[in-house]
Amino acid sequence: MSWNVNAPSFVPNVNARPFVPGQRYESEPVAPAQPPAPEQDWDAEEDQAAVAAPSEAAPAHVNEPAEPEEAVEPPQEKPEPQVDEPKAKESTPASDPADDIIAPIAKKFQRAVFVDDGSHKEHINIVFVGHVDAGKSTIGGQLMFLTGMVDKRTLEKYEREAKEKGRESWYLSWCMDTNDEEREKGKTVEVGRAYFETERRHFTILDAPGHKSFVPNMISGANQADLAVLVISARRGEFETGFDRGGQTREHAMLVKTAGVKHLVVLVNKMDDPTVKWEEERYKEIEGKLSPFLRKCGFNPKTDITYIPCSGLTGAFIKDRPSASDCSWYTGACFIEFIDQQLPSYKRDYNGPVRCIVVDKYSEMGTVVIGKMESGVVEKGDTLIVMPNKQPVQVLQAWNDELEGVEEAELNNGFVIASPDSLPKVGRLFDAEVFILEHKSIITSGYSCVMHIQSAIKEVVVKGVLCTIDKKTGQKTKSRFVRQDEKCIMRLESPESFVIEPFKDYPYLGRFTLRDEGKTIAIGKVLKVIE
């Protein structure tokens, strides 16, 4: 017996596809009932390597001696199938390189389809905003009690504890302010969340802080809202303090409009106060001062604003009407009646790509993500992508507004969970149309501030002012700086990338607020993402 010294040496295929359970890879070698295909691949590989095959090479290479081939033929009849089998495996990924890419994905992504079976109530997020001590948390607690979300025993417990601390009138607000710091000082710090239901709708309460030190938290709550409730204190002196320049009534009204809220309910609270005593004159005075300012913010007083007098402490006009002797001059609907029966329905883009803005997260048997679904539909088992880090995640469970299925460290506020077939844009340099609300000096290249866009907070630097825009004519004039009360187009840059879209494509990912030194200095919308 002689050895074929010209036979090709064995080279392992390092690019061979690894074995993955559940894939079709196992079925191909089990059924070797297709000899022509491996022979063709084998011939093609040997032709490239210029090596003669034992059975096929004789007619191709006539000049080679016949003795070694005849001698080698008998021993090679046995190892031939052994050589063919691995070669067939090697040729499979070589013939179809796309298999290596598709292998890790279990199935192709398919968008979930929304089917309205009539069993689900319309879901609306309500944010309560207004000056500090206007009664936002108290009204939220009263809503939960009147709708049965907080029982009487729990409320009596809160009342006893508040009385021991000398805070008798704060017990209703403890339904929303849950931590000791908020209860001790009587000031909301973080956005409180609760929910209640009416006959037709399911509402999520977002109790925003009213103090100017916590405006960033208020902006986060406003970005989640569909409906805003501006709480005004009718007590003598308190309305004037909140509405004067520097008060939070003005800033909050402007910020909820910037966040995309279209309808505003103004609750004139504390109408039962001894300084007011349900006077219609005081109610008309507040309405007369507030409406012109809200019109400047962009609300239409006839279609977008609804005024309702109320008392958060007693519950008057929250769900039921008080005695006719208290407020016979108001004939409109109570608050719960209005938001359940008279508030227009909100249009949802169920057929669009999945866009869930991450608002908060916590660990509980995995990672639970709290966010707002801006468009699309999510089902249990869906594979989605977290942007901007492009982390694939799977939905393990879905609740009203929570997701689960990703490590907590991999998520930050402002991340967007999206469908793999339509990912949002990610950028750090963009052009935007900006309106300067309040700033003492000029703004030009090199100016830095903090930008609030959806739930993300980013530091940005002005790379340059491209032009100013006349507010009346819309004419653009080339400029290198911009002043207060002027509109301009400027180029902004952030040190890190984040999810951002042009306002015309996705308004909720293209509107933002600029703040500096604890004040809101400008609002704007994204025109173009450059990089």
Side-chain angles (χ1 to χ4, degrees), residues 129-138 169-170 173 177 182 185-188 208-211 231-235 238-239 241-242 248 252 269-270:
V129 298
H131 192 65
V132 64
D133 291 334
K136 301 181 292 298
S137 299
T138 299
S169 61
W170 292 2
S173 67
D177 298 337
E182 292 179 331
K185 297 182 179 179
K187 294 179 181 177
T188 303
H211 198 276
V231 182
I232 301 294
S233 174
R235 182 179 291 166
E238 287 191 1
F239 166 70
T241 302
Q248 297 307 299
H252 283 198
N269 192 25
K270 303 184 182 181

Side-chain angles (χ1 to χ4, degrees), residues 139-167:
I139 293 176
Q142 188 70 259
L143 279 170
M144 294 178 66
F145 173 65
L146 293 175
T147 55
M149 301 309 299
V150 176
D151 57 26
K152 192 173 182 180
R153 180 178 296 180
T154 304
L155 212 59
E156 290 174 351
K157 174 176 172 286
Y158 289 160
E159 190 173 4
R160 286 195 306 269
E161 294 176 356
K163 193 173 183 179
E164 291 174 1
K165 296 184 178 182
R167 304 286 190 265

Side-chain angles (χ1 to χ4, degrees), residues 319-438:
K319 183 179 181 182
D320 301 316
R321 293 179 174 274
S323 60
S325 59
D326 287 340
C327 188
S328 58
W329 46 267
Y330 178 73
T331 58
C334 296
F335 178 67
I336 293 181
E337 179 188 351
F338 173 79
I339 61 176
D340 184 39
Q341 305 292 337
Q342 301 181 18
L343 187 70
S345 297
Y346 290 86
K347 294 181 179 179
R348 310 288 187 185
D349 186 13
Y350 295 114
N351 297 322
V354 174
R355 293 289 186 272
C356 178
I357 298 176
V358 177
V359 175
D360 201 357
K361 59 182 180 178
Y362 61 90
S363 295
E364 183 178 328
M365 301 291 291
T367 302
V368 180
V369 179
I370 302 175
K372 182 185 179 186
M373 287 292 298
E374 293 286 359
S375 65
V377 178
V378 169
E379 287 183 343
K380 181 179 178 180
D382 283 355
T383 301
L384 305 173
I385 305 294
V386 177
M387 299 294 287
N389 57 6
K390 297 185 179 180
Q391 172 70 35
V393 296
Q394 188 174 23
V395 181
L396 302 183
Q397 189 60 264
W399 294 275
N400 268 342
D401 40 10
E402 297 177 358
L403 280 175
E404 183 177 346
V406 64
E407 292 298 328
E408 184 179 5
E410 298 174 351
L411 284 172
N412 287 319
N413 291 3
F415 279 21
V416 176
I417 301 174
S419 49
D421 61 338
S422 179
L423 297 178
K425 292 181 180 179
V426 176
R428 51 187 291 271
L429 184 67
F430 59 95
D431 291 344
E433 182 180 306
V434 181
F435 178 69
I436 310 300
L437 298 169
E438 180 181 358

Side-chain angles (χ1 to χ4, degrees), residues 63-80:
N63 297 329
E64 288 192 9
E67 291 84 1
E69 291 181 9
E70 292 176 359
V72 175
E73 272 182 6
Q76 281 190 354
E77 286 178 359
K78 295 180 180 178
E80 230 177 29

